[in-house]
Amino acid sequence: MKLDLKNQFVEELDNIYKTHLIYRTIIVCKDDTAEYKNLLEDKDFSVYVVNTIETINYDALDYRVILINHDIFEDFLNYIITNNISNFYTYITFTYNNFIIKEDILKKYHNNYEIINNII
């Protein structure tokens, strides 16, 4: 993805935050998590990067954005579902063409409406 597209993604997210009441957003990245973290922090977003699936009190995190690598995203979803963790985010979005992963998530997690309904 070109830097221009990354900046565009951050600008669009910034506009969503300006026009909607958003608690927290989960952003799924490929291998460019550090770049997105820097771009988001430059726009005054507080960013938490999930590097491993671990015991984290997501409700206590004081971050507007949670960045997660796509390689561990499904493990992350399974962890929050298994541990009955909910209501700690408003949206889930992806920094890349997400049609295939969205379809996979919709099929696999069709019974979990909180996850399905919050993907943008």
Side-chain angles (χ1 to χ4, degrees), residues 31 53 66 74 99:
D31 295 325
I53 307 306
I66 295 176
E74 191 170 338
F99 180 76

Side-chain angles (χ1 to χ4, degrees), residues 44-55:
D44 293 326
F45 283 95
S46 55
V47 181
Y48 181 84
V49 178
V50 175
N51 292 310
T52 60
I53 307 306
E54 55 189 80
T55 304

Side-chain angles (χ1 to χ4, degrees), residues 58-79:
Y58 289 98
D59 289 325
L61 287 177
D62 190 20
Y63 296 91
R64 296 297 300 237
V65 173
I66 295 176
L67 284 179
I68 185 165
N69 188 288
H70 73 281
D71 290 337
I72 62 172
F73 182 60
E74 191 170 338
D75 291 336
F76 173 79
L77 289 179
N78 290 331
Y79 176 81

Side-chain angles (χ1 to χ4, degrees), residues 13 16-17 22-27 45 63-67 88-93 120:
L13 184 66
I16 291 172
Y17 268 83
I22 299 177
Y23 174 55
R24 185 179 294 134
T25 302
I26 297 170
I27 301 176
F45 283 95
Y63 296 91
R64 296 297 300 237
V65 173
I66 295 176
L67 284 179
F88 71 94
Y89 66 94
T90 306
Y91 293 121
I92 299 173
T93 192
I120 58 171

Side-chain angles (χ1 to χ4, degrees), residues 9-120:
F9 175 87
V10 171
E11 285 297 322
E12 290 172 3
L13 184 66
D14 190 39
N15 288 334
I16 291 172
Y17 268 83
K18 288 177 181 174
T19 59
H20 295 79
L21 181 60
I22 299 177
Y23 174 55
R24 185 179 294 134
T25 302
I26 297 170
I27 301 176
V28 183
C29 300
K30 286 199 174 186
D31 295 325
D32 45 9
T33 306
E35 282 182 80
Y36 275 103
K37 182 178 189 300
N38 290 335
L39 289 170
L40 289 160
E41 288 177 339
D42 286 347
K43 286 294 239 178
D44 293 326
F45 283 95
S46 55
V47 181
Y48 181 84
V49 178
V50 175
N51 292 310
T52 60
I53 307 306
E54 55 189 80
T55 304
I56 298 170
N57 183 350
Y58 289 98
D59 289 325
L61 287 177
D62 190 20
Y63 296 91
R64 296 297 300 237
V65 173
I66 295 176
L67 284 179
I68 185 165
N69 188 288
H70 73 281
D71 290 337
I72 62 172
F73 182 60
E74 191 170 338
D75 291 336
F76 173 79
L77 289 179
N78 290 331
Y79 176 81
I80 64 173
I81 291 168
T82 301
N83 291 287
N84 205 23
I85 302 169
S86 61
N87 299 321
F88 71 94
Y89 66 94
T90 306
Y91 293 121
I92 299 173
T93 192
F94 302 80
T95 61
Y96 55 94
N97 182 353
N98 57 13
F99 180 76
I100 293 171
I101 195 165
K102 270 188 180 180
E103 288 298 313
D104 289 344
I105 291 169
L106 292 173
K107 288 176 188 172
K108 186 165 187 171
Y109 300 99
H110 68 277
N111 289 342
N112 192 311
Y113 298 108
E114 180 179 356
I115 289 172
I116 302 286
N117 292 333
N118 292 327
I119 294 176
I120 58 171

